[in-house]
Amino acid sequence: MAPRLVSSSLRAVRTSVQHRRHLYSALRSGVRFVSSTTARQAVHCGPTLATASRIYAPKAAPAPTVHPPQTRSMFIQTETTPNDDSLKFIPGVPVMEEGTAEFLDTCSALASPLAIRLMGIEGVRAIFYGPDFVTVSKDSENPWAVIKPEIYSILMEHFSAGLPLFRSQEDRDAAGPQDTKILDTDSEHVAMIKELLETRVRPAIMEDGGDIEYRGLSDEGFVKVKLKGSCRGCDSSTVTLKSGIERMLMHYIPEVKGVEQVLDEDETVALDEFAKLEERLAHKKNEPK
C-alpha cells in the first residue's frame, strides 16, 4: 500500500512540476510577444519607407485657376415692318445717334464695315441705319429662316466688340441725310416743309424701319420726297404718301398741292418690269382655254 502511495505522490509532483514548466514557458512566450510587438510599434510609429521619401519633397504649387474668357452678351430684338422683305433689328445700343444712312449696293456699303459684311449675305439687297436700329432688306427668293441667323451673328459680333460703324469721320458725315437741314436760302414754305418732315413724319416712318428724304418743291407746289429703308418698294408706300404725308403737309401749308415720290433708275426699271409681268399674267388669264 505504501509503495503505491509513494508512486502516486511522485506522479502528482511530476505533474505539478511539468505544469509549472509549461506555465512558465507560456509566460515567457507572452512576454516576448508583447515586447516584440511593442518594439515593432515603436519602430514603425514614425514614417515608413514608403512615406519617408515624401518627407523632404517640396509641396506642389496649386494649379492656377483658369477662367473662361469674358464676353459681352447682347439681346437683339427684331420687329416686323409693313414690307415683308424687310426686318428691323434692334441691338439695344445706339446705331446712328444722328441722321440715317442707307446702302443699296456693295459700292456704297464700302463706307461701313458692318454694311459690307451684311451685304455679303446671300439674298440681302439693302441696309439701312436708324438711330437705334438696323433694317435689312432681302429679295423674295431667300427666306428669313435662312438669312436671320447670319445677320444675328454679324450684328452681335460688331456691336459687342464696339467696332466703329464707318471707316472714317468723312464717311460718317456724308452718310447722314442733310435734306431737312434748314438753310438761310430756304423760303418760308420750304422751311416749314422741312420742319414737318423732320419732327412729324420721320419719327413715324422710322417706327416701321424706314425713313423719308426731302428732294425739293416744284413750282407747281408738289413736294418731292424719297422713301428709304423698309418703306422702299413697300406696297403701302403709296398709302403712306397720300393718306399720311400729303394730307398733313396740305393741312399745315396751303401752298402745297401734293406729294410725289422720287424713284431711282433701278426702282423705275423694276416697277416697269413688274407692270409688264402683271399685264402678261392678266392677258394669259383672259385667254380662252
Side-chain angles (χ1 to χ4, degrees):
M1 187 71 180
R4 292 180 180 177
L5 292 174
V6 171
S7 60
S8 61
S9 298
L10 289 173
R11 284 196 299 270
V13 170
R14 289 173 183 172
T15 303
S16 177
V17 170
Q18 291 176 356
H19 179 70
R20 288 181 180 179
R21 285 177 178 175
H22 288 305
L23 180 62
Y24 180 70
S25 175
L27 289 174
R28 290 187 61 187
S29 299
V31 171
R32 285 198 301 271
F33 175 76
V34 172
S35 61
S36 63
T37 303
T38 305
R40 283 196 298 270
Q41 290 177 350
V43 170
H44 296 292
C45 66
T48 62
L49 181 60
T51 59
S53 60
R54 300 188 183 96
I55 294 176
Y56 300 104
K59 294 183 178 180
T65 304
V66 179
H67 297 283
Q70 296 182 353
T71 57
R72 294 177 57 189
S73 59
M74 296 184 65
F75 177 69
I76 300 178
Q77 295 178 304
T78 58
E79 291 184 2
T80 58
T81 69
N83 189 348
D84 293 336
D85 289 330
S86 296
L87 269 183
K88 185 178 176 183
F89 294 83
I90 307 174
V93 295
V95 180
M96 293 274 291
E97 296 182 359
E98 295 182 359
T100 60
E102 188 177 37
F103 309 94
L104 303 178
D105 50 36
T106 305
C107 183
S108 61
L110 291 174
S112 172
L114 175 60
I116 196 65
R117 292 189 63 188
L118 291 173
M119 291 292 288
I121 302 175
E122 184 178 358
V124 173
R125 59 179 178 83
I127 307 297
F128 178 79
Y129 294 160
D132 59 351
F133 64 88
V134 177
T135 298
V136 179
S137 300
K138 66 173 185 64
D139 55 31
S140 57
E141 299 177 359
N142 294 272
W144 282 116
V146 178
I147 298 178
K148 278 173 64 175
E150 194 168 355
I151 296 176
Y152 277 130
S153 177
I154 293 176
L155 293 177
M156 184 84 68
E157 180 181 347
H158 182 90
F159 289 108
S160 295
L163 299 176
L165 197 62
F166 293 91
R167 297 188 183 277
S168 64
Q169 186 62 36
E170 290 77 11
D171 293 333
R172 167 65 181 84
D173 296 337
Q178 305 293 328
D179 55 289
T180 56
K181 183 179 180 181
I182 300 176
L183 306 175
D184 296 336
T185 57
D186 290 337
S187 65
E188 182 180 356
H189 297 157
V190 172
M192 291 180 64
I193 292 171
K194 289 183 176 181
E195 180 69 19
L196 288 173
L197 291 178
E198 179 67 25
T199 59
R200 299 290 187 88
V201 178
R202 179 163 281 160
I205 292 183
M206 282 188 178
E207 288 293 326
D208 292 332
D211 194 14
I212 187 170
E213 182 178 339
Y214 173 74
R215 288 295 184 92
L217 176 65
S218 67
D219 296 335
E220 294 79 13
F222 287 91
V223 179
K224 297 181 180 180
V225 297
K226 180 177 178 59
L227 296 177
K228 304 166 67 175
S230 63
C231 298
R232 178 190 294 272
C234 179
D235 295 336
S236 60
S237 59
T238 303
V239 179
T240 302
L241 285 174
K242 297 298 180 180
S243 301
I245 302 173
E246 183 178 87
R247 183 177 300 179
M248 184 190 65
L249 292 178
M250 293 176 64
H251 173 75
Y252 287 101
I253 309 172
E255 288 77 11
V256 173
K257 303 304 179 182
V259 175
E260 294 179 349
Q261 182 178 3
V262 177
L263 300 177
D264 293 334
E265 183 179 355
D266 56 344
E267 292 177 312
T268 304
V269 173
L271 289 176
D272 291 341
E273 292 297 327
F274 185 73
K276 293 178 182 178
L277 176 61
E278 285 187 331
E279 184 179 353
R280 288 196 300 268
L281 292 175
H283 180 70
K284 186 177 181 180
K285 185 178 180 180
N286 295 329
E287 288 181 354
K289 295 182 180 180

